[in-house]
Amino acid sequence: TGVLRAGYVNYVPACSKNTKTGEMEGIFVDILEEVARNLNLELEWTEEVGWATAIEGLETKRYDIIGSPMWNNPKRARVTTMSIPAYYSGIGVFVRSDDNRFDNNRSLIDSPNVRICTVDGSTTSYIAEQNFPKAAKVTHPEKTQHPQVMLDVALNKCDVFLNETYQGYQYSAKNPGEIKNIASEDAIRYFGNCYMFARNEFLMEHMIDATLEGLISSGLVEGVLQKHEPAPGLFYRVADKHKTPVLE
């Protein structure tokens, strides 16, 4: 039809609606706008959705793509199609600054006496279940913003929150001394930030992948990341497959 309809999860800095202007903004917004321009498609942002309900809108064809970053996992892989990653995110383990129980051994989190905050439908809730099945889960509704969950850790409403490194950096910049990332040198997971389509949408996947690969190679994605990255090293780049690794 010449129109690419995008649903989105509100997730700063990748994809959000500016409350003053009504305009969409963020890393994934900038990149998807350029993808649509290259494909001669009109990009239409249709509706905000939650992590747990995003797939439903694809299945019912209310939109063609989730225009905010989605991390692949086995549950999503069974029922959706994913693009190649535009960039990667590291997942940190955030605890109160004065809580030193897990500093040298993260496996101690896997105890019924430890409370992990989770957000319904998020990939980090999946990691929490997989890595720390014995820990008590303090669940939050799917549209809960991550700074609120970080605050719950700081206020001792829970002990641990698995979150993107960027999100922890931003919270700590505004609330110094409240929380710390005990996985700052060794993220618990790394996830590719992908666009998501309905199951078996392989033509859509091919179009987006081919265009996205060109934007990564051209340096446009790097420029977008630098524009939105408040400090070096918060986002992980896609490796340049054409460069020969340097052996030391």
Side-chain angles (χ1 to χ4, degrees):
T1 62
V3 178
L4 181 62
R5 300 170 302 155
Y8 66 94
V9 178
N10 186 58
Y11 190 68
V12 178
C15 186
S16 62
K17 179 178 284 189
N18 188 303
T19 55
K20 294 181 179 179
T21 67
E23 297 293 317
M24 298 298 297
E25 56 189 24
I27 299 170
F28 257 47
V29 174
D30 292 353
I31 295 172
L32 190 56
E33 287 178 346
E34 191 64 22
V35 167
R37 189 185 69 81
N38 276 262
L39 292 171
N40 294 316
L41 295 173
E42 177 187 348
L43 179 58
E44 177 183 307
W45 296 94
T46 60
E47 63 180 284
E48 180 182 350
V49 297
W51 298 112
T53 56
I55 295 173
E56 177 192 351
L58 291 170
E59 293 174 338
T60 57
K61 302 187 183 302
R62 296 203 310 270
Y63 38 79
D64 309 304
I65 186 173
I66 293 296
S68 45
M70 303 299 288
W71 298 336
N72 214 343
N73 62 48
K75 291 182 180 179
R76 288 175 180 165
R78 287 176 59 89
V79 294
T80 68
T81 309
M82 292 282 206
S83 75
I84 61 172
Y87 63 99
Y88 289 82
S89 293
I91 309 303
V93 180
F94 293 91
V95 301
R96 287 180 297 283
S97 291
D98 60 357
D99 188 349
N100 302 316
R101 290 175 292 169
F102 322 115
D103 287 4
N104 300 314
N105 188 356
R106 296 198 302 241
S107 67
L108 295 177
I109 295 172
D110 193 24
S111 164
N113 298 320
V114 178
R115 302 160 298 167
I116 299 183
C117 279
T118 63
V119 177
D120 285 344
S122 68
T123 299
T124 53
S125 67
Y126 174 82
I127 301 172
E129 288 292 348
Q130 193 172 56
N131 285 42
F132 309 112
K134 297 177 184 177
K137 309 303 187 298
V138 180
T139 60
H140 292 66
E142 61 175 343
K143 290 188 178 181
T144 304
Q145 295 300 300
H146 288 200
Q148 177 59 52
V149 188
M150 293 284 204
L151 179 61
D152 285 355
V153 174
L155 294 176
N156 199 21
K157 293 181 179 180
C158 60
D159 302 306
V160 179
F161 182 42
L162 308 179
N163 200 7
E164 186 179 7
T165 304
Y166 168 89
Q167 302 292 339
Y169 174 90
Q170 290 292 80
Y171 183 89
S172 292
K174 297 176 181 178
N175 306 277
E178 290 189 1
I179 61 170
K180 64 182 178 181
N181 180 10
I182 61 172
S184 58
E185 301 297 324
D186 180 24
I188 193 168
R189 297 281 183 89
Y190 297 91
F191 283 101
N193 291 290
C194 307
Y195 294 101
M196 188 168 74
F197 329 104
R199 186 179 183 183
N200 297 329
E201 283 286 353
F202 300 122
L203 177 58
M204 174 79 73
E205 177 193 19
H206 175 69
M207 288 195 307
I208 300 297
D209 283 357
T211 309
L212 186 53
E213 191 171 57
L215 297 180
I216 293 171
S217 179
S218 72
L220 182 136
V221 170
E222 175 62 28
V224 171
L225 288 172
Q226 290 184 13
K227 171 185 171 183
H228 293 279
E229 190 173 38
L234 295 180
F235 304 128
Y236 298 86
R237 276 54 171 176
V238 175
D240 189 339
K241 66 180 70 175
H242 302 292
K243 289 184 178 180
T244 302
V246 178
L247 300 179
E248 297 183 0

